[in-house]
Amino acid sequence: MTNQQRQRRTTSNRANKPADLEEIRPQHFLLRNPMARGVLKGEGRLEGNRFELTTWRRDGLLARLRNSGFTVETLDDQIARLPDLPIAVSLGAFASRVLHKIERYSYFDPQMLGWAPLEAQQEEKSLVVRLRDGWVVRRRRGRGAASYHQVFIERSGIAGLTLLTTPEAFLQGYAQAAQISREPLVVQRLNQHYLLPALELPAPHHALLQRLGDLSAEGWRIDERGWPLACVIYKRLGIHLVAHRT
């Protein structure tokens, strides 16, 4: 094995290996490598494999850890790895698709940033659903799991479906929404917390919001430290947040 091959293998192993210190909440870290304890000493509270940074020297501490050879993954790093929005598919004409009795369709509404149900219509002797070229749709068959598709118009003039993965469907839906001129999304500020609307988000974005706050029936409850990070997560989806104190 050449030196170049060894270097590539080492780099690959590091990329696949979990970080020695991973931020799981703002200023709260999961410590996987106990050898880093010496660098963390005096910078916060360390209980088992959990470390809370309590000093103001965050940037200096992270730099010392990395200079000492430890890998650190902050919430900023995790947000930076979120997938970019794809090129938005333009919307076109409507066409019909025969609807089976056990089928239900909804489409990603770029105005409301969520799934809107589509009603069946009678067309000659068949029940149909009217789909728009380019729409991202969710289809359910009975009680089975949902599948996601992008609509296209076949040569015959009927609505065809291209299968999408769940992440592809959400990202394409938000990409289309980002093309619409819209007002910023207003977020309620309650004392030292922010209440973000509980939009359906792509799985990686949802997972990161879970690290910033808690989800309730009212929405995501985010504190002061998590608010700037939440703004960046939503911005990656083309959504601008503004806080309004109530």
Side-chain angles (χ1 to χ4, degrees):
M1 182 183 294
T2 66
N3 289 334
Q4 188 175 15
Q5 288 173 325
R6 290 193 184 92
Q7 186 175 8
R8 283 200 299 264
R9 174 173 290 186
T10 300
T11 302
S12 176
N13 289 340
R14 286 178 179 174
N16 296 326
K17 182 182 177 182
D20 296 321
L21 202 69
E22 178 183 348
E23 193 169 15
I24 54 176
R25 284 268 184 175
Q27 306 292 68
H28 291 257
F29 295 80
L30 172 63
L31 176 63
R32 292 194 179 92
N33 188 344
M35 299 295 292
R37 287 173 175 266
V39 184
L40 301 177
K41 187 176 180 181
E43 298 290 352
R45 287 187 288 270
L46 186 58
E47 296 182 6
N49 65 347
R50 295 293 194 271
F51 170 72
E52 180 186 1
L53 176 63
T54 58
T55 70
W56 55 269
R57 297 185 293 268
R58 176 186 171 97
D59 291 343
L61 172 62
L62 297 179
R64 291 202 309 278
L65 285 162
R66 288 167 174 149
N67 290 338
S68 299
F70 298 108
T71 55
V72 182
E73 186 180 78
T74 65
L75 287 168
D76 298 275
D77 297 327
Q78 297 164 45
I79 293 172
R81 287 204 310 272
L82 288 172
D84 293 325
L85 291 178
I87 297 174
V89 174
S90 299
L91 303 181
F94 283 87
S96 298
R97 182 178 177 86
V98 174
L99 185 67
H100 299 285
K101 290 183 179 180
I102 62 171
E103 284 186 322
R104 290 171 293 151
Y105 282 84
S106 56
Y107 77 101
F108 191 90
D109 186 338
Q111 290 287 352
M112 69 178 241
L113 300 174
W115 300 97
L118 293 166
E119 299 295 331
Q121 301 180 27
Q122 188 71 39
E123 198 171 275
E124 296 181 353
K125 296 182 180 180
S126 301
L127 276 178
V128 302
V129 63
R130 296 283 290 173
L131 302 178
R132 190 174 183 185
D133 185 25
W135 262 357
V136 177
V137 296
R138 181 170 64 187
R139 178 173 67 174
R140 291 189 184 275
R141 292 180 173 179
R143 297 182 179 180
S147 60
Y148 297 87
H149 308 263
Q150 189 129 41
V151 179
F152 69 96
I153 308 302
E154 299 181 358
R155 290 185 179 181
S156 60
I158 67 173
L161 300 176
T162 299
L163 183 65
L164 299 175
T165 65
T166 304
E168 287 173 340
F170 273 92
L171 290 172
Q172 178 59 223
Y174 276 99
Q176 292 178 348
Q179 304 303 303
I180 298 175
S181 177
R182 65 172 69 249
E183 295 295 322
L185 191 61
V186 177
V187 172
Q188 295 181 21
R189 183 175 180 181
L190 308 171
N191 297 322
Q192 301 302 313
H193 289 84
Y194 300 81
L195 195 61
L196 280 63
L199 302 175
E200 285 194 71
L201 302 175
H205 301 71
H206 181 96
L208 276 177
L209 279 176
Q210 287 182 308
R211 294 194 162 192
L212 301 183
D214 300 299
L215 181 60
S216 68
E218 298 176 310
W220 289 99
R221 190 177 180 85
I222 308 291
D223 66 15
E224 290 279 1
R225 291 183 296 186
W227 167 246
L229 297 170
C231 289
V232 179
I233 292 173
Y234 275 76
K235 186 177 180 181
R236 294 294 298 270
L237 293 171
I239 302 168
H240 179 54
L241 301 179
V242 294
H244 177 67
R245 187 181 291 275
T246 58

